[in-house]
């Protein structure tokens, strides 16, 4: 109970008691005067009690407000400290691209520590192309009212230019209209420099290694064929070994280049109708020597012989070759690889599996099986082998297919693949 209310009750009880006592003492002779006196005392008491209560309530509300303000200021101070010390450029602009506020990284980037008001005039800060790009982005955000993310080079009038990963978030008012933008920028100059170095490296591999290796392969093939003169049996054996080595080098370089292109989405698929049985026969034929060396047999199971898909033949063949190469490398000697081809229950996909006897693979290893370089240790240190399954998965995914692995404790492993199947009656040939 509030103190003011307690005081009011005490005063009221005391007044009534005193007045009643006076009435009895004076034998009600002056009862009318006493009654007026009682009413006056009650009114005066009520006034003071209400006045005191109002003051106390105001004081309590003020204390609560001050406490809340201090809590907000404390939280705001923490938030301001965090934003100001972020390793990101963070600032707010209005719909006219005028600077409102920003953290220390933003002020440092724009180079206006002593003249922040300059940022109120974007034409004096940004190069024309950059400013036009910013305005186009703002129009798109105002239209969609959704965050916008992009990588771009930001050029300033001062001559400074840097690559940034930009994230813009719209500020909406109560009417759901965009009134400004919160912008976060992460400098990615180092990443872009690394990407440029990687592109130079890949270009070097392509021109300085892949092309000469292909020339060596063609030269060795000419020698082995006898077109440049007869070679004896021993010479032919050495030439064949050298040719196999060159072909392996060429395949390794092709795998590396293809993996790089898929990572950077720099690949164009040329679709055509492909008979799966014929394609698998070509893939297995490439590894006849390897299978003969380990005495591995191939068993193909298919209820129908004319399963077909639309795919880029060169790319999908590379995926199957990588899988077969992995199966042969991992399989036990004197065993067989079972290739099962059939349609899925819905009839929309072609299901293929490659089953073979090999060491058990744990669930943790299966999770990493199709990642880059994760399988290198399992291939007995074979150079470049870590990209084979990774590239196969990228190619199959690009064809809207799926690939996954199973392993049984009985030392039997299976690679399963699903690709969209052609409905011969409904789907016309794809030319692009």
């Amino acid at each position: 109970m509030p103190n003011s209310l307690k005081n009011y009750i005490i005063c009221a009880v005391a007044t009534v008691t005193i007045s009643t006592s006076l009435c009895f003492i004076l034998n009600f002779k002056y009862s009318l005067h006493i009654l007026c006196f009682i009413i006056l005392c009650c009114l005066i008491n009520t006034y003071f009690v209400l006045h005191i209560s109002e003051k106390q309530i105001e004081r309590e509300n003020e204390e609560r407000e001050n406490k809340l303000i201090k809590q907000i200021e404390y939280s705001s101070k923490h938030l301001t400290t965090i934003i100001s010390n972020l390793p990101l450029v963070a600032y707010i602009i209005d719909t006219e691209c005028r600077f409102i506020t920003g953290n220390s990284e933003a002020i440092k980037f724009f180079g206006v520590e002593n003249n922040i008001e300059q940022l109120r005039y974007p034409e004096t800060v940004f190069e024309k192309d950059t400013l036009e790009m910013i305005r186009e982005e703002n129009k798109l955000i105002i239209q969609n009212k959704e965050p916008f993310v992009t990588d771009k080079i930001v050029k300033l009038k001062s001559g400074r230019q840097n690559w940034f990963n930009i994230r813009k978030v719209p500020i909406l008012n109560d009417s759901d209209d965009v009134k400004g933008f919160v912008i976060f920028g992460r400098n990615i100059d180092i990443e872009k420099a690394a990407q440029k170095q990687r592109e130079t490296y890949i270009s070097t591999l392509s021109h300085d290694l892949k092309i000469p290796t292909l020339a060596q392969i063609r030269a060795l093939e000419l020698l082995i064929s006898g077109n440049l003169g007869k070679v004896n049996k021993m010479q032919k054996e050495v030439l064949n070994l050298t040719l196999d080595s060159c072909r392996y080098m060429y395949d390794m370089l092709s795998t590396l280049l293809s993996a790089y292109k898929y990572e950077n989405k720099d690949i164009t698929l040329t679709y055509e109708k492909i008979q799966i049985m014929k394609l698998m026969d070509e893939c297995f034929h490439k590894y006849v020597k390897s299978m003969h060396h380990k005495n591995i047999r191939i068993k193909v199971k298919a209820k129908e012989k004319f399963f077909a898909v639309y795919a880029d033949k060169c790319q999908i063949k590379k995926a199957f070759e990588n899988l077969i190469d992995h199966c042969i490398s991992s399989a036990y000697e004197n065993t067989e690889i079972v290739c099962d081809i059939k349609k899925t229950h819905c009839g929309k996909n072609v299901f293929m599996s490659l089953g073979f006897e090999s060491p058990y693979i744990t669930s943790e290893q299966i999770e990493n099986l199709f990642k880059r370089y994760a399988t290198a240790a399992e291939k007995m240190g074979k150079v470049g082998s870590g990209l084979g399954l990774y590239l196969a998965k990228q190619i199959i995914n690009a064809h809207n297919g799926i690939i996954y692995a199973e392993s049984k404790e009985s030392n039997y492993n299976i690679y399963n693949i699903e690709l969209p199947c052609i409905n011969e009656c409904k789907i016309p040939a794809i030319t692009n």
Side-chain angles (χ1 to χ4, degrees):
M1 183 181 295
N3 292 331
S4 58
L5 184 58
K6 288 181 180 179
N7 294 335
Y8 175 76
I9 293 172
I10 292 170
C11 291
V13 171
T15 303
V16 172
T17 303
I18 294 170
S19 301
T20 305
S21 300
L22 288 172
C23 286
F24 278 109
I25 293 170
L26 298 175
N27 207 13
F28 295 99
K29 185 177 180 180
Y30 302 102
S31 57
L32 182 60
H33 296 82
I34 293 171
L35 182 60
C36 293
F37 176 74
I38 292 172
I39 293 172
L40 179 62
C41 290
C42 288
L43 289 174
I44 294 171
N45 185 58
T46 301
Y47 170 76
F48 281 107
V49 168
L50 291 176
H51 181 71
I52 294 169
S53 298
E54 184 179 353
K55 291 294 182 181
Q56 186 172 353
I57 291 171
E58 288 179 358
R59 186 166 57 252
E60 290 175 355
N61 288 339
E62 186 177 352
E63 289 176 357
R64 280 196 296 269
E65 288 178 3
N66 290 336
K67 187 177 180 180
L68 182 60
I69 289 171
K70 287 181 180 179
Q71 289 176 347
I72 293 173
E73 288 177 347
Y74 187 70
S75 300
S76 177
K77 185 177 180 181
H78 280 188
L79 184 60
T80 302
T81 303
I82 291 171
I83 294 175
S84 296
N85 291 278
L86 277 175
L88 301 172
V89 170
Y91 60 100
I92 298 174
I93 61 173
D94 61 16
T95 54
E96 300 299 324
C97 301
R98 292 176 298 206
F99 183 88
I100 297 175
T101 186
N103 67 354
S104 57
E105 286 293 322
I107 303 301
K108 189 188 301 181
F109 171 72
F110 292 119
V112 291
E113 291 87 345
N114 300 323
N115 187 16
I116 297 180
E117 283 298 318
Q118 181 183 349
L119 296 177
R120 298 285 295 171
Y121 307 96
E123 296 82 2
T124 65
V125 178
F126 296 101
E127 280 284 347
K128 183 179 178 181
D129 294 342
T130 299
L131 185 58
E132 288 180 358
M133 192 183 303
I134 291 172
R135 285 174 172 159
E136 288 297 323
E137 293 168 358
N138 293 350
K139 288 179 183 178
L140 182 64
I141 297 172
I142 291 172
Q143 181 181 352
N144 298 329
K145 298 179 182 178
E146 293 180 354
F148 179 82
V149 181
T150 185
D151 290 346
K152 67 179 181 182
I153 188 167
V154 178
K155 299 179 181 179
L156 304 182
K157 286 279 189 178
S158 62
R160 180 172 184 175
Q161 58 182 33
N162 298 96
W163 274 97
F164 277 92
N165 172 258
I166 301 291
R167 180 178 180 84
K168 285 188 179 181
V169 182
I171 301 173
L172 305 176
N173 61 10
D174 295 338
S175 303
D176 203 31
D177 295 324
V178 178
K179 292 300 181 182
F181 310 91
V182 180
I183 302 173
F184 298 95
R186 180 174 62 86
N187 190 300
I188 55 173
D189 284 338
I190 295 177
E191 296 175 21
K192 288 295 180 180
Q195 181 180 350
K196 188 174 181 180
Q197 289 179 350
R198 186 164 62 247
E199 289 173 355
T200 302
Y201 172 69
I202 295 300
S203 178
T204 300
L205 284 177
S206 179
H207 294 88
D208 296 351
L209 292 177
K210 188 176 178 180
I211 294 174
T213 302
L214 184 60
Q216 292 171 11
I217 290 172
R218 296 293 177 259
L220 289 168
E221 288 174 345
L222 281 174
L223 288 171
I224 293 170
S225 65
N227 292 334
L228 301 179
K230 291 185 178 180
V231 292
N232 59 40
K233 186 177 180 180
M234 186 177 294
Q235 291 172 332
K236 194 170 185 177
E237 184 177 349
V238 172
L239 290 173
N240 277 320
L241 290 173
T242 306
L243 179 60
D244 289 342
S245 178
C246 289
R247 282 174 175 165
Y248 173 73
M249 173 66 77
Y250 184 80
D251 287 343
M252 185 184 71
L253 292 172
S254 297
T255 299
L256 185 59
L257 290 168
S258 297
Y260 170 79
K261 289 180 179 180
Y262 275 99
E263 282 179 358
N264 291 275
K265 295 179 173 49
D266 187 24
I267 198 79
T268 302
L269 300 177
T270 304
Y271 289 90
E272 60 180 292
K273 181 179 176 181
I274 299 172
Q275 296 292 340
I276 290 295
M277 292 289 290
K278 184 178 179 181
L279 180 67
M280 294 302 293
D281 184 60
E282 293 177 7
C283 294
F284 281 120
H285 183 74
K286 180 178 178 179
Y287 295 97
V288 168
K289 289 185 179 179
S290 300
M291 289 186 290
H292 179 73
H293 180 71
K294 296 183 70 172
N295 194 25
I296 292 175
R297 302 174 301 279
I298 297 296
K299 182 179 180 181
V300 178
K301 295 163 56 178
K303 292 183 179 179
E304 299 178 26
K305 294 185 178 181
F306 300 103
F307 291 113
V309 295
Y310 282 123
D312 186 309
K313 184 176 181 180
C314 181
Q315 295 295 321
I316 205 71
K317 184 178 180 181
K318 182 67 177 176
F320 289 148
E321 286 176 350
N322 287 352
L323 283 170
I324 293 170
D325 180 40
H326 178 77
C327 293
I328 294 170
S329 300
S330 304
Y332 294 135
E333 293 185 3
N334 305 313
T335 57
E336 67 179 10
I337 296 175
V338 178
C339 178
D340 190 10
I341 305 175
K342 58 186 177 183
K343 283 188 179 180
T344 56
H345 295 297
C346 63
K348 295 181 180 180
N349 294 334
V350 174
F351 176 85
M352 291 166 283
S353 67
L354 293 170
F356 55 98
E357 295 181 45
S358 65
Y360 173 71
I361 306 174
T362 64
S363 57
E364 183 178 342
Q365 290 173 323
I366 287 177
E367 288 182 4
N368 297 320
L369 199 59
F370 296 99
K371 294 181 180 179
R372 285 184 300 174
Y373 310 115
T375 59
E378 298 174 11
K379 301 288 283 292
M380 302 179 67
K382 192 176 181 182
V383 178
S385 61
L387 285 174
L389 293 183
Y390 169 78
L391 178 58
K393 182 177 177 63
Q394 298 303 310
I395 294 173
I396 291 170
N397 287 348
H399 284 82
N400 298 317
I402 59 173
I403 179 172
Y404 56 96
E406 299 178 67
S407 185
K408 300 180 180 179
E409 293 185 358
S410 59
N411 291 341
Y412 193 82
N413 299 318
I414 305 172
Y415 289 98
N416 300 309
I417 305 161
E418 286 187 30
L419 287 170
C421 180
I422 290 177
N423 185 328
E424 298 284 357
C425 301
K426 297 181 180 180
I427 302 180
I430 298 175
T431 57
N432 187 14

